[in-house]
């Protein structure tokens, strides 16, 4: 599976962005998909994940109520709608795909075998 992330940009605090993660390959619907982010000088951080069938979703506590992850398997794309953005959301955002993961590992970056390139989100205060 090859992943292509897009949709990043510069936005003012309180604004919104929608990130997209487009996948190649017909087996995309077999993968759990997640978004991670990495801010300058910080470790990569889990943001959100969605199961292959879309029935279960997981979020980082600090983005709950502001970010929404969704997927369209027909379009082989996963989205991250980000609202009420804050300066602390500034980071390089990555999408990642893995096989069906056990719940205890779904927030762990090493669980994901496939990664897209990052898309930069900058929130100005």
């Amino acid at each position: 599976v090859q992943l292509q992330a897009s949709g990043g940009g510069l936005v003012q605090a309180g604004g919104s962005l929608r990130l997209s993660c487009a996948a190649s390959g017909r087996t995309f619907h077999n993968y759990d998909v997640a978004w991670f982010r990495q801010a300058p000088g910080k470790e990569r951080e889990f943001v959100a994940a969605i199961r292959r069938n879309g029935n279960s979703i997981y979020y980082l506590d600090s983005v709950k109520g502001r970010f929404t992850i969704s997927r369209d398997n027909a379009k082989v794309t996963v989205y991250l709608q980000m609202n009420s953005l804050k300066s602390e959301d500034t980071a390089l955002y990555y999408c990642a795909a893995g096989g069906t993961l056990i719940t205890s590992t779904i927030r762990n970056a090493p669980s994901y075998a496939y990664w897209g390139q990052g898309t930069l989100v900058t929130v100005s205060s």
Side-chain angles (χ1 to χ4, degrees):
V1 174
Q2 292 185 326
L3 305 174
Q4 179 78 31
S6 62
L10 174 64
V11 64
Q12 288 188 334
S16 299
L17 282 174
R18 187 176 81 158
L19 306 184
S20 298
C21 177
S24 64
R26 299 179 179 178
T27 60
F28 178 70
H29 59 278
N30 289 333
Y31 292 91
D32 296 338
V33 179
W35 287 95
F36 288 79
R37 66 186 181 187
Q38 188 166 18
K42 295 188 177 180
E43 294 186 353
R44 192 168 296 191
E45 175 182 55
F46 169 82
V47 177
I50 186 167
R51 291 291 190 184
R52 58 181 180 173
N53 57 11
N55 285 356
S56 295
I57 289 174
Y58 309 83
Y59 291 105
L60 176 69
D61 284 348
S62 62
V63 308
K64 284 181 181 176
R66 301 190 297 121
F67 291 12
T68 303
I69 189 171
S70 61
R71 68 189 295 163
D72 185 337
N73 285 341
K75 295 183 178 179
V76 288
T77 301
V78 170
Y79 304 98
L80 185 69
Q81 177 67 43
M82 304 187 296
N83 299 329
S84 303
L85 283 161
K86 305 176 180 180
S87 57
E88 52 262 44
D89 295 318
T90 294
L92 198 57
Y93 283 71
Y94 299 88
C95 59
T100 302
L101 306 176
I102 59 175
T103 302
S104 61
T105 65
I106 204 164
R107 293 174 172 81
N108 300 338
S111 299
Y112 296 84
Y114 305 100
W115 289 80
Q117 90 296 350
T119 185
L120 182 62
V121 172
T122 304
V123 183
S124 63
S125 56

